[in-house]
Amino acid sequence: MSDTTEDPIGDDLTRRIADGVCWITLNRPEAGNALTQFMRDRIAQWVRDASADLFVRVVVITGTGDKAFCTGADLRGGRLEPRPKPDDAPEDVVGEGARMIRDGWQSLVTAILDCEKPVIAGVNGTAAGGGMHLALACDLVVMAEEAKFVEVFVRRGIAPDAGGAWILTRLVGIQKAKELFFFGDDVPAPEASRIGLVTRLVPRAELQATLEEMAARLAKGPTKAIWIAKWLTNRALDVDRATSLYDEAIGQELVTNTSDMKEGIASFVERRPAEFKGW
């Protein structure tokens, strides 16, 4: 099964589903793989769709070209026209700005965090601003040694968005997150790996092969058990111990009723490799 999108995003963004892997590729290398509003919303929808799609067991998001994974929002165009307003309405209506943020990049990041399938970012080049947070929202980050992260917001006089403060602080701690936000300096891949932003660091020439290997392993895993592990881990820093243990008990009960857990136990008893189906 494969899908190449049509208007309004054309071939700027592609999706291919094969062997349990949903490959989402940003394909605007001449524009730093910056996301138009249409692209951003389509990725969010595809990731949400992946949760319910039994043909999908892992999602990979990557970009084309050697220079950029994603340089954030395309500020030059690719936006929906706003709905008309009553003649006497003010130009700026209270609540519109916050709603735009919630329905925009926050929605994309949340879709990734809440996806019931593991999501891998293949960072082939610069990931800046919202593009950095797009990558860090993913469960695993595979980064080319030649790539870099940039919290570029301060360079434009903009506050961080796309869930950046929530995500980055949990990955590197409060002090380091403030340093990255305040100065907006480039974070080369080796430094990004050292401070805990990267799952695996590889030469760019090995990035695709590494993504394929990791995705293939996850696509053969017990998908529901991986989902519960993701859910518990994402909640761990937000809830108290009692709530976390309660969540764990509920998650264990849910997984106990899956075909994959039954297969896992049977394969152990029969001393053979497990063949997980994803449900």
Side-chain angles (χ1 to χ4, degrees):
M1 177 179 178
S2 66
D3 180 23
T4 301
T5 58
E6 303 295 339
D7 184 68
I9 57 176
D11 60 1
D12 288 345
L13 181 69
T14 63
R15 175 179 63 171
R16 180 173 62 88
I17 299 173
D19 301 321
V21 184
C22 174
W23 295 89
I24 297 176
T25 304
L26 285 54
N27 188 35
R28 301 183 72 210
E30 75 289 345
N33 286 327
L35 299 187
T36 65
Q37 183 176 341
F38 303 111
M39 292 170 65
R40 180 201 67 203
D41 294 346
R42 186 66 60 86
I43 295 172
Q45 187 58 56
W46 282 344
V47 172
R48 285 191 288 267
D49 291 345
S51 286
D53 191 339
L54 295 181
F55 288 102
V56 175
R57 298 173 70 179
V58 57
V59 177
V60 180
I61 302 175
T62 190
T64 55
D66 294 335
K67 293 185 178 180
F69 165 74
C70 177
T71 52
D74 184 346
L75 302 178
R76 297 177 176 85
R79 296 176 178 272
L80 291 171
E81 291 296 324
R83 287 177 56 81
K85 299 176 182 177
D87 293 338
D88 57 347
E91 182 175 349
D92 296 318
V93 177
V94 172
E96 284 189 342
R99 186 182 306 108
M100 178 184 69
I101 296 297
R102 290 196 308 270
D103 294 343
W105 279 81
Q106 285 185 2
S107 180
L108 170 57
V109 166
T110 300
I112 294 170
L113 293 170
D114 291 344
C115 184
E116 296 178 18
K117 311 295 169 62
V119 184
I120 306 173
V123 183
N124 54 299
T126 298
M132 177 175 174
H133 300 163
L134 168 64
L136 297 183
C138 296
D139 304 301
L140 303 171
V141 178
V142 183
M143 192 172 191
E145 293 173 346
E146 300 86 346
K148 62 183 178 182
F149 285 131
V150 191
E151 286 290 1
V152 75
F153 300 97
V154 71
R155 301 186 190 181
R156 311 288 182 259
I158 305 172
D161 66 7
W166 190 90
I167 295 169
L168 190 63
T169 301
R170 282 161 173 74
L171 292 173
V172 301
I174 292 176
Q175 295 274 345
K176 191 64 179 181
K178 289 177 180 177
E179 178 188 358
L180 297 179
F181 284 133
F182 291 178
F183 293 102
D185 292 334
D186 292 358
V187 184
E191 173 67 5
S193 180
R194 187 187 70 80
I195 64 177
L197 297 179
V198 180
T199 307
R200 193 173 298 182
L201 194 63
V202 297
R204 183 180 286 125
E206 298 177 13
L207 179 64
Q208 182 62 29
T210 302
L211 291 172
E212 291 174 0
E213 183 269 333
M214 292 177 69
R217 287 186 62 186
L218 289 171
K220 294 178 180 178
T223 307
K224 297 301 184 182
I226 293 172
W227 162 44
I228 294 298
K230 172 177 176 172
W231 177 63
L232 291 172
T233 306
N234 282 348
R235 282 176 58 82
L237 294 178
D238 295 330
V239 300
D240 58 31
R241 182 182 65 184
T243 303
S244 184
L245 294 180
Y246 180 82
D247 289 346
E248 179 184 285
I250 295 298
Q252 284 281 340
E253 180 178 349
L254 291 172
V255 171
T256 298
N257 293 316
T258 64
S259 296
D260 278 348
M261 182 169 173
K262 293 180 176 69
E263 165 63 10
I265 299 299
S267 67
F268 174 76
V269 172
E270 297 166 12
R271 297 185 179 181
R272 59 172 174 79
E275 296 183 7
F276 298 118
K277 302 296 185 181
W279 48 74

